[in-house]
Amino acid sequence: MASEEFENAFAVLGRDFANAGRVSTAIKDTLKGLGIGAPIVRRVAIASYEAEMNLVMYASRGKMRLRVSSEAITLDVDDEGPGIADVSLAMQEGYSTATPEMREMGFGAGMGLPNIRKNADEFLITSEVGRGTKLHIRVNLLE
Amino acid sequence: MATVTAAGKVITLDDVVRLLDARILCGKDLAVKLGEVGAADLMSDVLALSKPGMLLLTGLVSMQVIRTAIVSDLCGVVFVRGKVPGKDIVELARESNVPVFSTAMTMFQAAGVLYGALSGR
């Protein structure tokens, strides 16, 4: 468990598929370095990676901000992109607007947002069409 | 994604190399025991359904396979049908301590052989 507050922000570039996932693996290393238990690190890393892939696939750019306190890990993802017209539809497993290129990389099956929700203790999503999407992901460190 | 869990049988990455006649692309500690085996080309399924310690069989060759293995705590990746990823992919796997293998078997054959080994058939 982290004994002190930690914060770091990462920039992510849309369509940069070669580097997609680098931020999430860096976040995983950071959390491991802070001594956080493997099951919690895995949940955060998976949620982060799903969010990062969505950002790279759909948005032009964005930021991922990691905060670690003694109580929780929070990840706020804020992108400049097309936004999501119907968030409740996007939250349904299997719903996807992915292109063949995204599917060729093994993504775009409409599983990302539901999987983020599954791994988070708290998950908020807000989106504005033509502007972008914000995700707030929280994983508790305390029971 | 199809998965099979070890039912009492313990097999290691060394056993996998032998059973699949696989080429070791990177990975030093092959005494690692498998938790289960999953076969998938869809990384979304691996992220949603895998368990830590799973070995992934896949026909997909991309950086995202290795990054999926890293975030999901997989014990290794086997590329099927003789696929060999590029140097950059293997280098990422090596740096991240993800053992990576290549087998000439199809996904179906490799999954069948490992299913047999894990279930004792």
Side-chain angles (χ1 to χ4, degrees), chain B:
Chain B
M1 182 180 69
T3 62
V4 57
T5 308
K9 282 271 181 182
V10 175
I11 69 169
T12 64
L13 291 178
D14 262 327
D15 296 326
V16 170
V17 170
R18 183 177 46 80
L19 289 163
L20 302 185
D21 194 17
R23 185 173 148 199
I24 304 166
L25 302 177
C26 73
K28 284 179 184 165
D29 180 13
L30 302 186
V32 173
K33 292 170 189 161
L34 308 191
E36 62 176 28
V37 178
D41 284 350
L42 197 54
M43 295 304 106
S44 299
D45 277 354
V46 179
L47 289 166
L49 302 171
S50 69
K51 295 194 177 78
M54 189 187 90
L55 177 73
L56 174 66
L57 305 178
T58 188
L60 183 72
V61 177
S62 83
M63 288 293 228
Q64 305 315 324
V65 173
I66 306 303
R67 295 207 169 103
T68 298
I70 297 167
V71 301
S72 304
D73 290 333
L74 304 188
C75 75
V77 176
V78 180
F79 293 101
V80 298
R81 299 202 305 283
K83 293 181 181 188
V84 177
K87 279 183 185 170
D88 50 347
I89 296 176
V90 176
E91 195 48 42
L92 174 66
R94 184 178 290 115
E95 284 169 11
S96 311
N97 294 316
V98 176
V100 170
F101 313 93
S102 175
T103 177
M105 290 184 191
T106 64
M107 186 115 101
F108 181 73
Q109 288 172 322
V113 167
L114 295 180
Y115 183 89
L118 283 168
S119 62
R121 288 175 196 181

Side-chain angles (χ1 to χ4, degrees), chain A residues 3-4 10 13 15 19-22 26-27 29 41 56 61 69 71 76 83 94 108-109 116-118 120 122 128 137:
Chain A
S3 58
E4 56 192 53
F10 304 85
L13 203 56
R15 317 300 298 172
N19 288 308
R22 283 184 88 143
I27 284 174
D29 286 343
V41 172
V56 171
R61 66 182 64 81
S69 74
E71 294 176 351
D76 286 286
I116 295 173
R117 181 172 57 191
K118 189 182 93 180
E122 187 179 294
E128 195 176 335
I137 299 159

Side-chain angles (χ1 to χ4, degrees), chain A:
Chain A
M1 189 184 302
S3 58
E4 56 192 53
E5 299 269 332
F6 176 91
E7 187 171 331
N8 204 355
F10 304 85
V12 179
L13 203 56
R15 317 300 298 172
D16 183 8
F17 292 113
N19 288 308
R22 283 184 88 143
V23 167
S24 299
T25 52
I27 284 174
K28 186 181 183 194
D29 286 343
T30 298
L31 297 177
K32 274 170 74 178
L34 290 171
I36 293 162
I40 286 181
V41 172
R42 185 173 188 268
R43 284 169 58 201
V44 175
I46 288 174
S48 171
Y49 188 47
E50 295 274 24
E52 186 179 353
M53 286 306 299
N54 275 349
L55 202 165
V56 171
M57 289 192 290
Y58 294 104
S60 51
R61 66 182 64 81
K63 274 187 186 151
M64 299 177 68
R65 183 177 295 276
L66 173 74
R67 291 189 187 87
V68 184
S69 74
S70 57
E71 294 176 351
I73 299 161
T74 53
L75 186 64
D76 286 286
V77 184
D78 191 346
D79 76 41
E80 292 172 33
I84 301 167
D86 187 336
V87 170
S88 61
L89 191 58
M91 287 303 300
Q92 287 179 21
E93 279 189 17
Y95 177 80
S96 176
T97 58
T99 63
E101 183 190 19
M102 298 171 190
R103 294 179 197 273
E104 279 170 16
M105 289 189 307
F107 285 85
M111 303 281 281
L113 290 174
N115 198 27
I116 295 173
R117 181 172 57 191
K118 189 182 93 180
N119 282 287
D121 289 309
E122 187 179 294
F123 176 54
L124 301 172
I125 174 168
T126 54
S127 191
E128 195 176 335
V129 172
R131 292 190 72 94
T133 301
K134 289 179 169 55
L135 306 181
H136 173 76
I137 299 159
R138 177 183 162 114
V139 174
N140 294 332
L141 289 170
L142 301 174
E143 286 298 311

